[in-house]
Amino acid sequence: MTDPAGQRVRCTVTDGVADVLLNRPAKLNALDPAMFSALVETGLRLRADPRVRAVVLHGDGRGFCAGLDFESFKAMSGGGAPDHPAAEPIGPAKALGQQAVHVWRELPVPVIAAVHGVAFGGGLQVALGADLRVVAADARLSVMEIKWGLIPDMTGTQVLPELVGRDVAKELTFTGREVDGREAVSLGLATKLADDPAAAARVLAAEIAGKNPHAVRRAKELLDAAGQVSLEEGFAAEQRALGALLGTPNQTEAVQAVFAGRAPEFADPEAADA
């Protein structure tokens, strides 16, 4: 699977794991209109693909993503916005830049960002759209928009406080300072360290892909709703999800595989359930 608009994003699906590669290495995978569109298009395709059980999102070349392309900044220097036509809204995301991030949160399966080199500005926000972030110790991450006299506008102001707390989110946003991978993990900005983040993310994705895909999807849905709904609603949703899983073929297969000491063989969700 590849996007038709300049091959900005490449995607393959193998054994239930989608490998999504930002493919602009000469520009450190900087975000331009074609990259935004390709991210949205790829995410929407994967959202509708029942074969997909986990996603690895990473960048080609020397870094994950250096943020907005410099030419786009030049277009903004006179006070005008770059030409980023918005697609149809994806949930609450109406602007194209927001959609390029939020589409990954909208996927019903776990998304793992593998970050090496730099993840600056919009590039960091793309990584924040993932459920998990595996980073290299020497990776450099920054909420860099303040350097250009701007604010994070690709969902970052809403997502960042959820991960690191409101005060740390403010400090990172007000200063634009860089943090390395180790500090990113300590702050909650990243999930875990790895010498080779992409390889580690693939191992983790393969492990997730080996679990009951219906249960993984339900778990992501419930965990994403935590803090967004009342406890009464959250508790009720747990029970509904449990009732929907108990006795299904995949849930029965999970139990049988444990007692038989073998690897389970799960069926993918039907397209209507994906």
Side-chain angles (χ1 to χ4, degrees), residues 151-185:
I151 53 93
D153 67 333
M154 293 167 55
T155 78
T157 61
Q158 304 306 298
V159 176
L160 191 60
E162 175 187 332
L163 295 174
V164 301
R166 192 176 298 271
D167 57 341
V168 175
K170 289 178 177 179
E171 186 258 334
L172 294 174
T173 303
F174 297 161
T175 66
R177 73 178 180 88
E178 295 181 19
V179 301
D180 64 16
R182 293 187 185 281
E183 185 176 4
V185 171

Side-chain angles (χ1 to χ4, degrees), residues 52-133:
V52 176
R53 299 185 182 185
V55 176
V56 174
L57 179 63
H58 60 120
D60 194 13
R62 296 179 293 117
F64 178 76
C65 178
L68 194 60
D69 184 89
F70 186 69
E71 292 301 316
S72 296
F73 278 121
K74 288 175 63 177
M76 298 174 69
S77 62
D83 182 18
H84 293 172
E88 291 297 316
I90 298 174
K94 296 181 174 60
L96 185 59
Q98 292 175 333
Q99 293 169 359
V101 174
H102 191 69
V103 70
W104 306 104
R105 294 175 68 89
E106 287 278 303
L107 261 64
V109 300
V111 179
I112 307 165
V115 178
H116 73 292
V118 300
F120 289 160
L124 176 58
Q125 291 180 83
V126 171
L128 295 181
D131 298 284
L132 307 170
R133 280 154 295 283

Side-chain angles (χ1 to χ4, degrees), residues 174-210:
F174 297 161
T175 66
R177 73 178 180 88
E178 295 181 19
V179 301
D180 64 16
R182 293 187 185 281
E183 185 176 4
V185 171
S186 71
L187 292 174
L189 190 60
T191 311
K192 60 191 297 187
L193 291 172
D195 293 335
D196 185 338
R202 290 188 189 101
V203 170
L204 180 56
E207 180 180 356
I208 293 169

Side-chain angles (χ1 to χ4, degrees), residues 230-271:
S230 69
L231 284 177
E232 181 178 10
E233 186 176 346
F235 290 168
E238 275 188 354
Q239 294 304 299
R240 289 194 299 271
L242 183 65
L245 290 168
L246 283 171
T248 59
N250 275 350
Q251 192 269 322
T252 302
E253 168 64 9
V255 175
Q256 291 176 344
V258 169
F259 284 108
R262 59 172 174 80
E265 296 183 7
F266 295 119
D268 290 323
E270 297 293 333

